[in-house]
């Protein structure tokens, strides 16, 4: 398996532009996470999907952020309009969550997308 | 207050030396505790996973310990190598019907020749 695949690896955009980050989770994983990492705040959970359904989006900083998971093999994180303070590395991760057992497997992370908003 | 606190924030050691990284958490009850290694420019990679009932788990030169009574965990690195230079992140999963991970801020380790 190729692991969690994110694109693009790097994105530089001007303030006010729309940015779309993409993620392909590991096949067979039913949970997907979007994280943001900065030097100041470390890794922060933005949103979490289980079986393509958003379970908790309390980490999404503002209405400018939105995430979708139209199917089990694809998710997007969109920022519109982007601002310089959105500059960070955005990670996608996936794992298997066994709902009935309340257990989860190891979470595998993608390589991340480094976003710079100028 | 962060639910997972790590120390030190950064550490520099010489190649071949041992070191120990600390993690204190307040998450309770919890299901498991994980240590991740994150190389610069890459995503975190899991090193060890311990359930609340386990005291120690090894992965090569990495040994993690867990004291659920004092809510402390440590990651011991033996005979450090230059490739150990990375950030090490302590992660706790709370108990409950929610697939959630709580991350510490990490310890940035630099191994010098």
């Amino acid at each position: 398996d190729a692991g969690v695949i994110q694109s693009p690896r790097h994105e530089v955009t001007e303030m006010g532009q729309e940015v779309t980050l993409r993620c392909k989770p590991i096949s067979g994983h039913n949970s997907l996470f979007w994280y943001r990492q900065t030097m100041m705040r470390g890794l922060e959970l933005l949103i979490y999907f289980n079986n393509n359904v958003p379970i908790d989006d309390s980490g999404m900083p503002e209405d400018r952020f939105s995430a979708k998971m139209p199917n089990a093999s694809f998710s997007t994180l969109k920022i519109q309009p982007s601002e310089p303070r959105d500059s960070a590395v955005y990670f996608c991760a996936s794992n298997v969550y066994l709902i009935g057992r309340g257990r989860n497997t190891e979470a595998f992370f993608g390589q991340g997308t480094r976003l710079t908003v100028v | 207050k962060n639910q997972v606190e790590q120390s030190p924030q950064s550490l520099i050691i010489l190649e071949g030396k041992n070191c120990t990284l600390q993690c204190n958490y307040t998450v309770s009850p919890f299901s498991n505790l994980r240590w991740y290694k994150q190389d610069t420019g890459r995503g975190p990679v899991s090193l060890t996973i311990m359930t609340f009932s386990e005291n120690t788990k090894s992965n090569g030169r990495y040994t993690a310990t867990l004291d659920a009574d004092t809510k402390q965990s440590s990651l011991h690195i033996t005979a450090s190598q230059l490739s150990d230079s990375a950030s090490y992140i302590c992660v706790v999963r709370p108990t409950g019907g929610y697939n959630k991970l709580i991350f510490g801020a990490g310890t940035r380790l630099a191994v010098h020749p």
Side-chain angles (χ1 to χ4, degrees):
Chain A
D1 197 314
V4 176
I5 300 173
Q6 291 187 244
S7 64
R9 288 295 310 277
H10 303 275
E11 177 80 31
V12 180
T13 189
E14 290 185 345
M15 182 174 64
Q17 296 298 306
E18 176 181 297
V19 175
T20 299
L21 312 181
R22 297 173 176 78
C23 175
K24 181 181 187 308
I26 292 174
S27 177
H29 284 190
N30 64 350
S31 293
L32 182 141
F33 309 81
W34 280 103
Y35 290 90
R36 177 172 66 178
Q37 187 175 41
T38 61
M39 287 293 293
M40 291 297 295
R41 302 173 69 92
L43 272 161
E44 301 175 279
L45 177 64
L46 300 176
I47 187 169
Y48 150 59
F49 292 86
N50 198 64
N51 292 327
N52 312 337
V53 176
I55 302 300
D56 185 349
D57 64 355
S58 60
M60 298 285 262
E62 302 170 30
D63 291 344
R64 298 184 296 107
F65 286 68
S66 63
K68 294 182 179 180
M69 191 165 186
N71 57 63
S73 60
F74 184 66
S75 177
T76 60
L77 178 67
K78 185 177 294 186
I79 308 172
Q80 166 64 23
S82 58
E83 297 182 3
R85 58 195 170 111
D86 301 331
S87 297
V89 181
Y90 291 80
F91 285 103
C92 176
S94 71
N95 73 352
V96 177
Y97 180 49
L98 306 173
I99 298 176
R101 300 183 180 181
R103 289 165 46 192
N104 60 357
T105 63
E106 173 187 345
F108 290 86
F109 284 76
Q111 300 277 44
T113 294
R114 180 173 295 277
L115 173 65
T116 303
V117 183
V118 298
Chain B
K1 178 174 170 61
N2 290 335
Q3 293 180 282
V4 180
E5 298 273 3
Q6 291 188 243
S7 62
Q9 189 174 36
S10 61
L11 180 64
I12 300 174
I13 62 173
L14 294 177
E15 186 179 12
K17 297 297 186 182
N18 304 336
C19 68
T20 300
L21 313 180
Q22 299 291 343
C23 174
N24 295 337
Y25 60 92
T26 59
V27 180
S28 182
F30 75 99
S31 175
N32 57 60
L33 184 147
R34 310 156 187 230
W35 282 91
Y36 278 83
K37 178 186 179 187
Q38 184 176 18
D39 292 313
T40 301
R42 304 183 73 88
V45 175
S46 180
L47 290 176
T48 62
I49 300 177
M50 291 181 290
T51 66
F52 64 89
S53 61
E54 294 181 290
N55 298 122
T56 186
K57 183 68 72 75
S58 290
N59 179 0
R61 295 178 297 101
Y62 301 100
T63 299
T65 64
L66 174 63
D67 186 333
D69 291 331
T70 61
K71 295 185 172 56
Q72 295 179 327
S73 176
S74 64
L75 180 69
H76 186 73
I77 305 174
T78 303
S80 61
Q81 300 176 358
L82 298 180
S83 59
D84 293 331
S85 296
S87 287
Y88 292 84
I89 306 172
C90 177
V91 185
V92 179
R93 191 216 162 199
T95 301
Y98 180 5
N99 188 11
K100 180 176 183 177
L101 301 176
I102 301 176
F103 286 79
T107 292
R108 185 174 296 276
L109 174 66
V111 180
H112 289 182

